[in-house]
Amino acid sequence: MITIRRPADDLLAIARQHADPADWPTGVHFDPVDRWYTRVATAPGHEVWLLSWWPGQGTDLHDHGGCAGAFLVVAGELTEETVDRGRLRPTRLAAGTGRRFGPRHVHQVTNVGSVPAVSVHVYRPALRRMTRYHLEDGRLRAAEVAEAGTAW
Ligand SMILES: [Fe+2]
């Protein structure tokens, strides 16, 4: 099946439109203690966030509260892990590459490289809630719900 995406529907294309540091409202900060992130754009129906990743920093397994999204690696390299038949399956994403995901996507993202990484993330609609998961005996087990306004 061929899927044709209009530009306004292609969240990875939107991420690419926000990949130029000259357009960011702030410089990128790298915090080796806590991952740094900031919202760089809001639009009807979606938000754009800029994240930095010190080597070794990453997320837990999480969903996006029903949002669809996309993320683009702008600098460095990130590894996305998704659950495939009960196991984590890694995908390396070099600078300039990214991926789209649907509203039921669960993943964890880590900078396993030796240099800091930067990425641009788009969420549709705006990210309001994320559930964190543990992988236990091959199954996702919800561990914690994080809400916008409290957790970020
Ligand atoms: Fe995510």
Side-chain angles (χ1 to χ4, degrees), residues 24 28 30 50-53 72-78 116-120:
W24 298 338
V28 179
F30 294 97
L50 178 66
L51 282 68
S52 71
W53 312 74
L72 173 70
V73 181
V74 176
E77 180 179 294
L78 293 174
V118 178
S119 54
V120 172

Side-chain angles (χ1 to χ4, degrees), residues 31-79:
D31 184 338
V33 177
D34 295 311
R35 278 190 305 107
W36 177 87
Y37 47 84
T38 190
R39 186 169 50 198
V40 295
T42 58
H46 71 262
E47 284 187 342
V48 184
W49 290 76
L50 178 66
L51 282 68
S52 71
W53 312 74
W54 198 253
Q57 287 183 330
T59 69
D60 298 320
L61 274 169
H62 64 276
D63 67 17
H64 306 88
C67 294
F71 66 99
L72 173 70
V73 181
V74 176
E77 180 179 294
L78 293 174
T79 297

Side-chain angles (χ1 to χ4, degrees), residues 45 48 66 68 81 88 93 99 101 121 124 128 134 136 143 150:
V48 184
E81 291 174 283
L88 289 176
L93 297 163
R99 67 118 75 225
F101 56 83
H121 299 239
R124 174 178 287 161
R128 308 311 311 162
H134 297 307
E136 293 181 7
T150 303

